[in-house]
Amino acid sequence: MQQALRNLIGVDSGIALLTVLVASSAVAVFALRRWRDLDGEIADRMAAESRLRTLALRDELTGLGNRRALQIELDRALARCEREGLAAAVLFIDLDRFKGINDGHGHEAGDGVLQTAAARLGGLVRSDEFIARLGGDEFAVVVVFARGDKAAPEMVARRLLTATSAPFKVGCSDVYLGLSIGIAIAPEDATERDALVRRADLALYRAKRSGGGEFRYFEESMDLVVLERSAIERDLRTAIALGQIVPHFQPLVDLKSGHIIGFEALARWHHPTRGPIAPDKFISVAEATGQIGALTRSMMRQACCHANDWPLDIKLCVNLSPVEFRDPWLAESILAVLVETGFAPQRLEVEVTESALVHDLCVAHRILMSLRNQKIRIALDDFGVGYSSLKHLSALPFDRIKIDRSFVANLGKTAEADKIVTAIVQLAESLNMATTGEGVETIDTAKRLEALGCGVGQGWLFGSALPPEAALRLVQQKRTSQPLNRPDWRQQMRQSPLLQLAHRVAGR
């Protein structure tokens, strides 16, 4: 019995030992497999993270580096310059006239152009240079070169400018663009990455303002422009609220009779400490900062109040910014000002530049029709230098075409100018629209315009923009000058109290 028990215990012990051994082996196998799985997971995760890092530094549309990649590369370049005594240039690049492709052909066509431009630019960038797309139609290139070699960044810029010399295919059409390039150099212009980027951007802005198709180096004066713009932006809101920006009035003259038929209201700002600020400086800031609507309403409110003192047959013309046409309530805000000031709608003419029509033709049509339905007249300003087309003229309710000063100034000087003005006048007549010639500075120009059939003239010949009280005196003292077809018209105009007053106020 005892022997049997011992045998049984021995068997059980063997089984137990065998079980332990098997279990241990299973655990070891499981652990080994788990370790291999974890090792694979870690490798996959590291590969995924590497792909994510790569994707995070790549522009999805073009495959070039993105803004973050530019920052990293520029930091490396600046560190190398400091270490090895080299120089680095960052070139900011912008496609000229690209907005027209998006507006006219759609964003899909625009993306195709961006991909083509990226391929061309990338093909011109050498292995020791770096290119990135910053977003939209902006690109950047980083170049490291020997300090003192001023020609190096210029050679890169000229090489890149060739990228857009060939046309881009958009649908069935060939479209010609261009490049604008701004260049900043380290350590000459800045040693910090952000400062260098900002200064390259300033140089690009100056290249764009100069008409595009060129490169510009950063200059210290560009910083002064930014400081001035910042000061204007800071003071603009207060100036609008306090009514410091006021309307001045430039006469509109009937070319056949010499009668003043109206005034165009133009914004003037005399800063309490900085003196006069040019309209092209503060209006662009107002547009960029979203204050243009408030500025227009303030100007219109003041202008209507002054115009209420004029004879009832003298009209008031005011300009609308293209930016304002993004506001679907623009027409209602204008009508609200008329109600507030008690100014008759039929005495008001609003002037619209052609670029206002590009953003959304349907919205522009609705706004202009709303104004027209209230008997407000509509003028198309700067005709012939923007996006004008017969489609716009036939689709929108214009009453008047204003012939751009660039054509008027060349009347009698080039046959082309005479033909263009004649064609515009005839086109306007066929569409039952009136015409105004802008930039009339000589009697000969005024007489040529009148002979071609243009109805109204505006410009220095008849007076510059006058303060409200001077404009009121002008219409109160003498509202007419001698007709243009009189032989002594030139002498009479010079002796006219009306023009003497206008030119004296203008400082001429």
Side-chain angles (χ1 to χ4, degrees), residues 48-75:
E49 290 176 354
S50 177
R51 287 194 298 272
L52 287 174
R53 282 193 297 270
T54 300
L55 290 173
L57 299 177
R58 290 290 168 192
D59 174 61
E60 184 177 353
L61 179 65
T62 64
L64 300 178
N66 59 16
R67 187 179 293 273
R68 176 58 183 155
L70 174 70
Q71 294 172 342
I72 295 172
E73 189 64 30
L74 196 49
D75 284 340

Side-chain angles (χ1 to χ4, degrees), residues 233-493:
E233 183 176 340
R234 184 181 62 247
D235 296 342
L236 183 61
R237 194 175 302 277
T238 300
I240 295 173
L242 296 180
Q244 294 175 352
I245 301 178
V246 300
H248 281 202
F249 301 93
Q250 186 172 36
L252 300 167
V253 174
D254 183 284
L255 292 174
K256 189 165 290 188
S257 68
H259 291 191
I260 292 178
I261 63 168
F263 291 91
E264 179 179 351
L266 302 171
R268 296 292 183 265
W269 182 10
H270 194 283
H271 194 280
T273 59
R274 301 174 59 211
I277 298 177
D280 62 336
K281 292 184 177 180
F282 68 80
I283 290 177
S284 62
V285 173
E287 290 175 333
T289 58
Q291 301 182 68
I292 188 64
L295 174 58
T296 297
R297 287 191 295 273
S298 173
M299 279 284 300
M300 187 175 294
R301 188 177 296 109
Q302 296 178 71
C304 288
C305 289
H306 291 301
N308 275 330
D309 296 329
W310 303 341
L312 295 180
D313 59 339
I314 302 294
K315 69 178 179 180
L316 170 66
C317 301
V318 296
N319 293 285
L320 297 180
S321 164
V323 177
E324 293 182 86
F325 279 78
R326 300 173 188 172
D327 177 11
W329 298 99
L330 174 60
E332 288 76 7
S333 66
I334 292 174
L335 295 174
V337 171
L338 297 182
V339 171
E340 177 187 347
T341 59
F343 191 75
Q346 58 268 28
R347 293 182 61 198
L348 179 65
E349 183 171 288
V350 296
E351 299 182 3
V352 181
T353 58
E354 299 174 69
S355 54
L357 313 177
V358 175
H359 180 67
D360 192 325
L361 185 61
C362 292
V363 171
H365 183 270
R366 188 193 67 79
I367 291 172
L368 295 180
M369 284 302 300
S370 297
L371 296 174
R372 183 73 178 279
N373 290 338
Q374 299 299 320
K375 302 186 184 306
I376 296 172
R377 297 176 67 82
I378 315 295
L380 179 58
D381 200 6
D382 298 334
F383 182 80
V385 297
Y387 304 91
S388 55
S389 68
L390 293 177
K391 174 184 176 182
H392 292 153
L393 289 177
S394 60
L396 297 170
F398 294 114
D399 299 285
R400 177 179 300 276
I401 293 175
K402 299 193 73 174
I403 307 170
D404 186 73
R405 65 184 64 247
S406 61
F407 303 129
V408 174
N410 286 312
L411 278 176
K413 299 177 182 178
T414 67
E416 289 77 11
D418 288 8
K419 292 176 181 178
I420 289 173
V421 173
T422 300
I424 293 174
V425 172
Q426 291 176 350
L427 175 64
E429 288 178 351
S430 69
L431 296 172
N432 295 318
M433 298 179 188
T435 49
T436 295
E438 298 182 288
V440 181
E441 298 189 357
T442 67
I443 294 173
D444 181 64
T445 300
K447 294 179 73 172
R448 286 178 180 275
L449 274 176
E450 194 271 333
L452 292 174
C454 182
V456 176
Q458 178 182 0
W460 276 94
L461 177 64
F462 308 112
S464 63
L466 303 171
E469 59 276 9
L472 180 60
R473 288 200 303 272
L474 202 58
V475 295
Q476 288 177 337
Q477 290 180 10
K478 187 176 183 180
R479 293 179 50 206
T480 65
S481 61
Q482 296 298 319
L484 298 180
N485 55 6
R486 289 279 299 273
D488 59 346
W489 187 83
R490 181 183 185 122
Q491 185 65 26
Q492 293 285 349
M493 287 291 284

Side-chain angles (χ1 to χ4, degrees), residues 99-126:
K99 186 178 183 298
I101 293 177
N102 270 344
D103 292 336
H105 301 275
H107 289 281
E108 185 175 346
D111 286 348
V113 169
L114 289 174
Q115 289 171 330
T116 302
R120 292 184 187 179
L121 292 171
L124 293 171
V125 170
R126 296 172 180 171

